[in-house]
Amino acid sequence: MCFTPICGGTGAGKPMLNSADASFVARLEVRLGKGALRACTAADLEEPRGLFRGQGAVVARPGTTAEVSAVLSMCNEALVPVVPLGGGTGLVGGQVMERGPLPVLLSLERMVAIRDVSPENNTMTVEAGAVLADIHAAALNAGRMFPLTLASEGSCRIGGNLATNAGGVNVLRYGSARELCLGLEAVLADGTIVGGLKRLRKDNTGYDIRNLMIGSEGSLGVITAAVLRLFPLPKALHTAFLAVPSPTDALALLHGLQAQFGDAISGFELIHQTGFAFLAETGFGLASPLAAPATWYVLLEISGAVALADMLEEALAGMLEKGLLSDAVIAQNETQRRHFWHIRETIPAANKRIGAISSHDISVPVAEVPALIARASAALPPHLRVNCFGHMGDGNLHYNIFPPKGENRAGYMKQREELARLVFDIVAEFGGSFSAEHGVGRLKVDDLERYGDAGKLAAMRRIKAALDPNGIMNPGAVLRVLGRA
Amino acid sequence: MCFTPICGGTGAGKPMLNSADASFVARLEVRLGKGALRACTAADLEEPRGLFRGQGAVVARPGTTAEVSAVLSMCNEALVPVVPLGGGTGLVGGQVMERGPLPVLLSLERMVAIRDVSPENNTMTVEAGAVLADIHAAALNAGRMFPLTLASEGSCRIGGNLATNAGGVNVLRYGSARELCLGLEAVLADGTIVGGLKRLRKDNTGYDIRNLMIGSEGSLGVITAAVLRLFPLPKALHTAFLAVPSPTDALALLHGLQAQFGDAISGFELIHQTGFAFLAETGFGLASPLAAPATWYVLLEISGAVALADMLEEALAGMLEKGLLSDAVIAQNETQRRHFWHIRETIPAANKRIGAISSHDISVPVAEVPALIARASAALPPHLRVNCFGHMGDGNLHYNIFPPKGENRAGYMKQREELARLVFDIVAEFGGSFSAEHGVGRLKVDDLERYGDAGKLAAMRRIKAALDPNGIMNPGAVLRVLGRA
């Protein structure tokens, strides 16, 4: 079975891709050695939401950048597709190719070394397969922090975090994965190794290939190693759980706190009462730490000097008086602080148990968040349940739609596309994004074509054709494979 | 006169470029209207160091993005080269094409609007011709700051700042131009408009064309507008002028302060006594604010809560006791603070009056700064004078070499290349960069080929060929024009 890969122009004259057949796999094995290949497991072909089911001929497990280069150049020559595998935790199907010729799955699972931790430079050099939690531990061990924080940190790999420009709860202060990476090494489709493992804060020597690879979701090449930015550990963390009358008040609260604390605000997460309802319904047994029920909550974190604790208490008291919040509790110790964050981080698990009809990882300019929530809420069928929560400080909300209480989503799945369209149309009106942090993958290729800028798409296609002319890299991710309906 | 433009492959089959002749200029005028063209002035063809002398047929002054697109598509069709013009303050000749067919100079001087200032989103939307000082004023007017700070802010334009990924004195805390830009609009060589003026902190929808255009120095297209990040005004600035025994002590000082103040440190500038010698010799009349002479100085700035002032005084007292510094003065008011910075910012002007043989904008991992200074100082001919100063907190130094006191550089200019090679070879040993913030332009094309990664260069050439297949955009900047020796 063959199909035409993506290309920049008309597609004329582009080669067809081939399945990785037994003879190709045998040649790969000769090149890499016996232990470097393994059969595909169920876990390799699944993704967390179960929306796509992957396929693959074999998992290649190169142990060095040179071996990654060898795999890619062999695949490129034989026109065999390659799907890079990190921790497999992506939410948009970027890690699973469900149709077309059988690909080689290129896993970074053997390239997990933390090569260098340099607290005096605030840098760490890691191989792409290093698991995020191991990176956190190595940083802490050196008296530093690596701020990228995700629910999946126990299994996701830094190469995947970078390939998808992962976000998480610390973006407000420290930025996304892109902003936490100083240097990158990657291999292009034809095996060309693009070196760049410099531990430099400033380096203006040519085009920004690093940022081009970051966020390209494995469709331009394979990230093999990176230099990460470390940060001093904050002197103290001040964490509060707040009840707010409305998103508008939450926004006023954010502005008031920013005026006073500047970029010391490291977390500002919005939570709706539906989040607590779901936590109760699904048996997680996590209730609000505040006595009286409220409709909206904010999980606030401020990092910095110990002296900020008093300032925070005073600031919140003032805002309570103004009516911007109706209740507040400040964590008195690390256990309580962890409990607050545990609530926030368990909401996605509760959502999964309830079963969303349609989930949306959206962003708008932060001042538009209240208006967006109001518009979307008015537009949706009132019998459906919405769990809206997330990184309000970044203008990034997870806006997830569920069936009425007690009903299964199965009967509603035919409304899925229509609901997504409705939400994304509203997001577009506000100048927002249909994928703030999850990426495009295979799930949102249509959305990119519908909502993306035509000139940007044209530029992307030209870059894809220039760096991967045969279209072997993660076919169907980010950009449509021509010839596929 | 014609020559072969840069291209990705062998160059075979690429068209030759043509001068913008009278008939082409006449057609441009018909398309844009009479007021939109003007003759080239001396200022358009000069650059600050006088190393290159530009040429041009005419200056096109489009008033809109659509007109920029029209100019580029006409030039692309007629194979006429285009040199984008911002404020003309670049230091590596990126703004002046000195040979080959006569280009159209595309100036953004009529696209200077500040379209939107949104303190509630911490964003500003500007046209690419807006002067940096006007952007600062507009931000202040809205109670915000835009942190990009350069000596040339009165004349440089934001489009040029972004095209070169400008740095400056606030990178330590706020990052380079790239990190201060949320959205970008640009026009590719064939006139394709790449839209992206989103005011979003997070947007993971496809390849990072924004960062590809940023730092490409006009060789991939023309930046026409941008969304910039604004920041709350710091509650207070705490500025100190310190004498330090050595660069090693300066590094220990930096680490000690970072442990205590974290990223509240917004400036850490190293200054050598040669800087003060030059300020005296060239009539600027600026002396050290410290009583006793020293070999090395640090200009330190910490931004944040008013309460930090006491902490800083205490921290510096402790470091004085440890011998990490030999003297210190903390600015007691804004006048004194400005005076400290004025000293730092006048050093480049003094350098210009003395006349450098060779100037180097280099970076290394910050912990390597002392070793780099020692190595370079030992390797250079001892009769030459070195003024080493700059953004030590970022690992970025301006390492400039001058003739002996009283001598003119003219007799030394034949040593220029050899001296640069010597410095850059040492920088390369330390894993550093031969251009930390100034870019490649035309001055450092050879250096990029010598010191750059071969795979990265190959990727750059493919991207250039993909986005500017005729090679009309700023020929000879960043990448060599094939066929030119």
Side-chain angles (χ1 to χ4, degrees):
Chain A
M1 181 179 169
C2 285
F3 69 158
T4 312
I6 182 71
C7 68
T10 59
K14 296 279 158 179
M16 307 288 263
L17 295 182
N18 305 312
S19 279
D21 60 18
S23 105
F24 181 77
V25 170
R27 281 190 288 137
L28 258 187
E29 191 163 28
V30 168
R31 175 65 185 80
L32 296 183
K34 198 149 187 152
L37 300 189
R38 65 169 175 80
C40 300
T41 66
D44 298 323
L45 306 175
E46 285 164 359
E47 43 83 25
R49 291 198 177 145
L51 297 171
F52 299 89
R53 170 109 203 128
Q55 47 157 12
V58 69
V59 177
R61 305 156 64 238
T64 64
T65 302
E67 287 182 359
V68 172
S69 169
V71 173
L72 291 187
S73 84
M74 285 178 69
C75 289
N76 191 48
E77 226 165 275
L79 302 175
V80 167
V82 176
V83 177
L85 275 192
T89 60
L91 295 171
V92 288
Q95 68 276 52
V96 282
M97 179 176 161
E98 48 174 356
R99 65 186 84 179
L102 277 182
V104 168
L105 308 187
L106 192 158
S107 169
L108 281 298
E109 67 200 55
R110 283 175 64 212
M111 293 178 65
V112 298
I114 291 175
R115 289 187 194 160
D116 173 66
V117 183
S118 173
E120 63 278 13
N121 286 314
N122 281 319
T123 57
M124 185 191 289
T125 306
V126 299
E127 294 182 352
V131 170
L132 182 54
D134 295 336
I135 290 171
H136 284 165
L140 271 177
N141 203 33
R144 293 291 182 271
M145 71 175 290
F146 179 63
L148 186 69
T149 302
L150 306 168
S152 58
E153 67 183 54
S155 50
C156 62
R157 298 179 189 275
I158 191 68
N161 298 147
L162 289 166
T164 58
N165 186 28
V169 293
N170 278 328
V171 176
L172 186 57
R173 178 168 184 159
Y174 297 99
S176 297
R178 160 181 327 284
E179 289 153 282
L180 300 173
C181 176
L182 291 177
L184 198 79
E185 179 190 78
V187 183
L188 302 182
D190 67 354
T192 299
I193 297 171
V194 179
L197 290 181
K198 294 207 166 173
R199 302 184 300 165
L200 304 176
R201 184 78 177 86
K202 292 166 84 174
D203 181 18
N204 271 352
T205 55
Y207 304 161
D208 190 356
I209 309 293
R210 177 180 82 236
N211 275 314
L212 186 62
M213 299 306 298
I214 296 175
S216 67
E217 304 184 39
S219 69
L220 295 178
V222 176
I223 292 169
T224 48
V227 178
L228 306 177
R229 284 184 75 179
L230 303 181
F231 291 80
L233 290 165
K235 304 301 280 184
L237 291 170
H238 315 284
T239 310
F241 214 97
L242 316 172
V244 293
S246 71
T248 305
D249 294 311
L251 181 69
L253 189 68
L254 175 66
H255 286 155
L257 291 167
Q258 280 177 330
Q260 196 159 358
F261 293 90
D263 55 6
I265 303 171
S266 52
F268 196 94
E269 299 282 313
L270 187 69
I271 296 171
H272 188 258
Q273 62 180 2
T274 303
F276 285 111
F278 283 17
L279 287 169
E281 282 173 39
T282 55
F284 280 102
L286 287 169
S288 157
L290 297 168
T295 308
W296 291 98
Y297 300 87
V298 166
L299 174 53
L300 167 71
E301 192 158 271
I302 291 178
S303 319
V306 176
L308 294 180
D310 292 345
M311 248 173 88
L312 177 62
E313 206 171 320
E314 211 173 298
L316 293 180
M319 285 162 173
L320 194 70
E321 255 175 56
K322 280 192 215 161
L324 295 185
L325 47 96
S326 58
D327 202 356
V329 54
I330 299 179
Q332 296 304 312
N333 51 48
E334 180 62 15
T335 308
Q336 209 171 359
R337 183 185 158 261
R338 279 183 193 274
H339 176 65
F340 290 0
W341 279 106
H342 183 58
I343 292 170
R344 164 64 184 86
E345 282 157 8
T346 310
I347 290 175
N351 286 345
K352 207 176 167 185
R353 289 196 189 166
I354 300 274
I357 306 168
S358 182
S359 300
H360 312 97
D361 162 41
I362 57 182
S363 65
V364 291
V366 65
E368 306 287 0
V369 164
L372 173 93
I373 290 174
R375 276 276 284 124
S377 161
L380 283 170
H383 62 289
L384 298 179
R385 296 205 290 178
V386 171
N387 193 5
C388 169
F389 66 104
H391 322 298
M392 177 164 172
D394 308 313
N396 175 200
L397 298 173
H398 299 299
Y399 197 93
N400 299 352
I401 303 172
F402 297 82
K405 188 168 174 180
E407 288 190 45
N408 188 285
R409 68 171 165 178
Y412 290 85
M413 290 311 277
K414 59 181 179 300
Q415 294 178 40
R416 185 189 167 80
E417 275 196 36
E418 189 190 331
L419 289 170
R421 179 74 53 83
L422 190 148
V423 172
F424 291 159
D425 281 352
I426 295 171
V427 167
E429 282 172 35
F430 285 98
S433 168
F434 62 87
S435 189
E437 58 177 14
H438 293 169
V440 175
R442 291 176 171 83
L443 184 62
K444 297 188 177 178
V445 172
D446 292 349
D447 299 316
L448 180 59
E449 292 177 358
R450 173 177 296 270
Y451 297 105
D453 178 78
K456 180 179 168 182
L457 262 166
M460 285 171 59
R461 292 205 176 95
R462 290 198 222 167
I463 289 166
K464 169 78 172 171
L467 297 187
D468 177 20
N470 295 336
I472 65 161
M473 289 308 311
N474 211 1
V478 187
L479 291 170
R480 181 182 306 283
V481 173
L482 290 190
R484 180 180 147 192
Chain B
M1 182 178 169
C2 283
F3 69 160
T4 313
I6 182 70
C7 69
T10 59
K14 296 280 160 180
M16 309 287 264
L17 295 183
N18 305 312
S19 278
D21 60 16
S23 104
F24 182 77
V25 171
R27 279 190 288 137
L28 259 186
E29 191 163 29
V30 168
R31 176 64 186 79
L32 297 181
K34 198 151 188 150
L37 300 190
R38 64 168 175 80
C40 300
T41 66
D44 298 323
L45 305 175
E46 284 163 359
E47 43 84 23
R49 291 196 178 145
L51 297 171
F52 299 89
R53 169 106 205 131
Q55 47 157 13
V58 68
V59 177
R61 305 155 65 237
T64 63
T65 302
E67 287 182 359
V68 172
S69 169
V71 173
L72 291 187
S73 84
M74 284 178 70
C75 289
N76 192 49
E77 227 165 275
L79 302 175
V80 166
V82 177
V83 177
L85 274 194
T89 61
L91 295 171
V92 288
Q95 69 276 52
V96 283
M97 178 178 163
E98 46 173 1
R99 65 187 84 178
L102 278 183
V104 167
L105 309 187
L106 191 157
S107 168
L108 280 300
E109 67 200 56
R110 282 175 65 211
M111 292 178 65
V112 298
I114 291 175
R115 289 186 193 160
D116 174 66
V117 184
S118 171
E120 65 277 13
N121 286 314
N122 281 319
T123 57
M124 186 191 290
T125 306
V126 299
E127 294 183 350
V131 170
L132 182 54
D134 295 337
I135 290 171
H136 284 165
L140 271 177
N141 202 34
R144 293 291 183 271
M145 70 176 289
F146 179 61
L148 185 69
T149 301
L150 305 169
S152 58
E153 67 184 53
S155 50
C156 63
R157 298 179 189 275
I158 192 68
N161 297 147
L162 290 165
T164 59
N165 186 28
V169 293
N170 278 327
V171 176
L172 187 57
R173 179 170 183 157
Y174 297 99
S176 297
R178 155 180 333 283
E179 290 154 278
L180 300 173
C181 176
L182 291 177
L184 197 78
E185 179 189 78
V187 183
L188 302 181
D190 67 354
T192 299
I193 297 170
V194 179
L197 291 180
K198 294 206 168 176
R199 301 184 301 165
L200 304 176
R201 186 77 178 86
K202 292 167 82 174
D203 181 19
N204 271 352
T205 55
Y207 304 161
D208 190 355
I209 308 293
R210 177 181 81 235
N211 275 314
L212 185 62
M213 300 304 299
I214 295 174
S216 67
E217 304 184 40
S219 69
L220 295 178
V222 176
I223 293 170
T224 47
V227 179
L228 307 176
R229 284 183 75 181
L230 302 181
F231 290 81
L233 289 165
K235 304 300 281 183
L237 292 171
H238 316 284
T239 310
F241 213 99
L242 315 172
V244 293
S246 71
T248 306
D249 294 311
L251 182 68
L253 189 69
L254 175 65
H255 286 155
L257 291 167
Q258 281 178 329
Q260 196 160 357
F261 293 90
D263 56 7
I265 302 171
S266 53
F268 195 92
E269 298 282 314
L270 187 70
I271 296 172
H272 188 258
Q273 61 180 3
T274 304
F276 285 111
F278 282 16
L279 288 169
E281 283 173 39
T282 55
F284 280 103
L286 287 169
S288 155
L290 297 167
T295 308
W296 292 98
Y297 300 86
V298 165
L299 174 53
L300 168 72
E301 192 157 272
I302 291 178
S303 320
V306 176
L308 294 180
D310 292 344
M311 250 172 86
L312 176 62
E313 206 170 319
E314 213 174 297
L316 292 180
M319 285 160 173
L320 194 69
E321 256 175 56
K322 280 192 214 160
L324 296 184
L325 46 97
S326 58
D327 201 358
V329 53
I330 300 179
Q332 297 303 313
N333 52 48
E334 180 62 16
T335 307
Q336 210 171 358
R337 183 186 159 261
R338 279 182 193 274
H339 177 64
F340 291 0
W341 279 105
H342 183 58
I343 292 171
R344 163 63 184 86
E345 282 158 7
T346 310
I347 290 174
N351 287 345
K352 206 176 169 186
R353 289 195 189 166
I354 300 275
I357 306 168
S358 181
S359 300
H360 312 97
D361 162 44
I362 58 183
S363 65
V364 291
V366 66
E368 307 286 1
V369 165
L372 172 93
I373 291 175
R375 276 276 284 122
S377 161
L380 283 170
H383 63 289
L384 298 178
R385 297 205 289 178
V386 170
N387 194 4
C388 170
F389 66 103
H391 322 298
M392 177 165 173
D394 309 313
N396 175 200
L397 297 174
H398 299 300
Y399 196 92
N400 299 353
I401 303 172
F402 297 83
K405 189 168 174 178
E407 289 190 44
N408 188 284
R409 67 171 167 179
Y412 290 86
M413 293 309 279
K414 58 183 180 296
Q415 295 176 39
R416 185 190 166 81
E417 276 195 36
E418 190 191 330
L419 289 170
R421 180 73 54 83
L422 191 147
V423 172
F424 292 159
D425 281 353
I426 295 171
V427 167
E429 282 173 35
F430 285 98
S433 168
F434 63 86
S435 189
E437 57 177 14
H438 293 169
V440 176
R442 291 176 172 82
L443 184 62
K444 299 188 176 178
V445 171
D446 292 349
D447 298 316
L448 179 59
E449 291 176 1
R450 173 177 296 269
Y451 298 104
D453 178 78
K456 181 179 167 181
L457 262 166
M460 285 171 60
R461 292 206 177 93
R462 292 199 222 166
I463 289 166
K464 170 77 174 172
L467 297 187
D468 178 21
N470 294 336
I472 65 162
M473 289 308 311
N474 211 1
V478 188
L479 292 170
R480 182 182 306 282
V481 173
L482 291 188
R484 180 180 146 189

